[in-house]
Amino acid sequence: LLRPGDMVLVDTGCELDGYASDISRTWPVSGKFSPAQRDLYDLVLSVNQSCIARASPDGATSLDSLHAASESLFHAGLISLGILPRNAPHSAVSSLYPHALGHYLGLDTHDTHDVPKNIPLEEGMVITVEPGLYVREGAGGGPRAKAFEGLGVRIEDDVAVGREGVEVLTRGAVKEAAEVENL
């Protein structure tokens, strides 16, 4: 049963012409974000956008390096929001972010699962970028952690890596907080 104050996270996909997609979005049940929901949502959105901007066939960027960048961004953001204490080790992020940033996408939703995530991205690859945070009761330990308990946000996009940049294949699905509230 969904109640005001809850959030809905939908992770879905489809196939078109033999290729798979995978997308996640999160909405407040009430239609408007509470202050804590908005803060958590904005943090996840900023990590999503930052990691999409970093995806590049530069010979060094991989899914693993993007994941490491997302963990560092989350660490700083979680401390800033007061979910983690100022002295929290970097490893504290994993209790709130228990999955990888993304995966390869192609003929199947989790295409080429046997291809290592540490290989450099190449032009023509399609990946997902799906940072997420999930604050269980008692998690975080920071001065404001209690205000975020029970909240979870994931924002997932499908991204085609190109020589001149990336193409966000899921760009038609709204994700800016104001757009979500206007749905």
Side-chain angles (χ1 to χ4, degrees), residues 39-54:
D39 286 345
L40 195 67
Y41 189 90
D42 285 347
L43 174 56
V44 173
L45 180 60
S46 72
V47 172
N48 168 277
Q49 293 169 330
S50 178
C51 290
I52 288 172
R54 293 170 190 235

Side-chain angles (χ1 to χ4, degrees), residues 2 28 52 57 62 93 108 119:
L2 300 174
I52 288 172
S62 65
V93 171
D108 196 2
I119 63 169

Side-chain angles (χ1 to χ4, degrees), residues 61-123:
T61 303
S62 65
L63 279 172
D64 279 350
S65 70
L66 290 172
H67 180 78
S70 71
E71 287 180 317
S72 293
L73 293 165
F74 274 147
H75 185 255
L78 289 164
I79 289 171
S80 178
L81 289 177
I83 297 172
L84 290 177
R86 292 221 175 272
N87 63 347
H90 192 270
S91 61
V93 171
S94 64
S95 68
L96 302 166
Y97 180 34
H99 58 80
L101 173 74
H103 55 84
Y104 303 110
L105 190 61
L107 299 177
D108 196 2
T109 302
H110 293 263
D111 205 17
T112 60
H113 59 277
D114 57 342
V115 174
K117 291 185 176 183
N118 64 350
I119 63 169
L121 296 179
E122 296 179 19
E123 181 181 357

Side-chain angles (χ1 to χ4, degrees), residues 146-168:
K146 191 137 189 79
F148 295 90
E149 285 183 356
L151 299 182
V153 174
R154 181 168 63 236
I155 303 171
E156 177 180 19
D157 285 297
D158 300 346
V159 177
V161 178
R163 185 177 320 139
E164 303 299 321
V166 298
E167 179 180 358
V168 180

Side-chain angles (χ1 to χ4, degrees), residues 24-41:
S24 298
R25 293 293 190 264
T26 307
W27 301 275
V29 169
S30 69
K32 300 290 180 195
F33 291 102
S34 71
Q37 289 172 340
R38 179 66 182 260
D39 286 345
L40 195 67
Y41 189 90

